[in-house]
Amino acid sequence: MFSGKKELIEAYYGRWEEMLAGPIAGTVAILEQLKKSGKHKLFGLTNWSAETFPIALRRFDFFSLFDGILVSGTERLRKPHPAFYQLLLDRYHLMANECLFIDDNIRNTDAARQFGIQSITFENPDQLKEELIRLQVL
């Protein structure tokens, strides 16, 4: 189907790590603060592929701060589909109304809200910190 694009496809997967930007320092600091407080469990819900997520895990230490992570490529589900949110709740024995979801894609935060999960649409670290303080999470 894409036989004429073989070199491009191989370059994408073979050099994928070069395209990764670094972490957003202010956001990692917030994540570290939340983890250090011990008040909340932290879970990740990502649309990464099963093939590329292990590269990100090796590259970014902050992933170790999460108590669990669901990866789209592994689960064969993705945000904003309700089944992905339900899987997170079921796997980690969470109640939707006790969770807070943070994502930079408004489609994903809207879907979480419709699912009964309070959400913040991430814009920048300062805005996130203000929202978390307002919600008495930080």
Side-chain angles (χ1 to χ4, degrees):
M1 183 169 160
F2 297 105
S3 60
K5 306 289 184 190
K6 182 179 184 233
E7 287 182 24
L8 294 173
I9 293 168
E10 287 175 352
Y12 173 80
Y13 283 103
R15 300 180 66 190
W16 180 83
E17 188 172 359
E18 294 174 34
M19 294 183 284
L20 284 176
I24 302 169
T27 307
V28 173
I30 292 168
L31 182 64
E32 290 169 341
Q33 187 177 354
L34 288 168
K35 185 67 173 184
K36 188 176 181 179
S37 79
K39 295 178 186 176
H40 309 283
K41 292 285 188 176
L42 305 172
F43 299 97
L45 194 61
T46 178
N47 281 350
W48 243 315
S49 75
E51 297 80 16
T52 57
F53 188 66
I55 295 167
L57 273 177
R58 287 191 303 272
R59 185 162 173 188
F60 301 119
D61 293 340
F62 66 83
F63 282 115
S64 67
L65 298 172
F66 289 97
D67 297 293
I69 301 174
L70 295 185
V71 179
S72 288
T74 303
E75 305 298 342
R76 305 285 185 214
L77 294 167
R78 66 178 182 83
K79 301 175 285 186
H81 296 287
F84 202 27
Y85 301 96
Q86 187 64 56
L87 179 61
L88 179 75
L89 298 176
D90 291 346
R91 181 157 306 159
Y92 297 108
H93 312 289
L94 306 170
M95 300 294 295
N97 64 342
E98 296 176 354
C99 295
L100 174 64
F101 178 69
I102 303 164
D103 197 288
D104 63 349
N105 185 322
I106 196 164
R107 288 180 56 222
N108 297 337
T109 54
D110 284 349
R113 280 186 201 98
Q114 290 173 10
F115 201 72
I117 300 172
Q118 186 173 15
S119 299
I120 297 172
T121 304
F122 175 83
E123 296 171 17
N124 60 63
D126 291 334
Q127 166 261 345
L128 175 60
K129 188 170 187 173
E130 286 176 22
E131 287 285 328
L132 292 174
I133 290 169
R134 183 181 66 77
L135 295 170
Q136 300 179 356
V137 174
L138 275 182

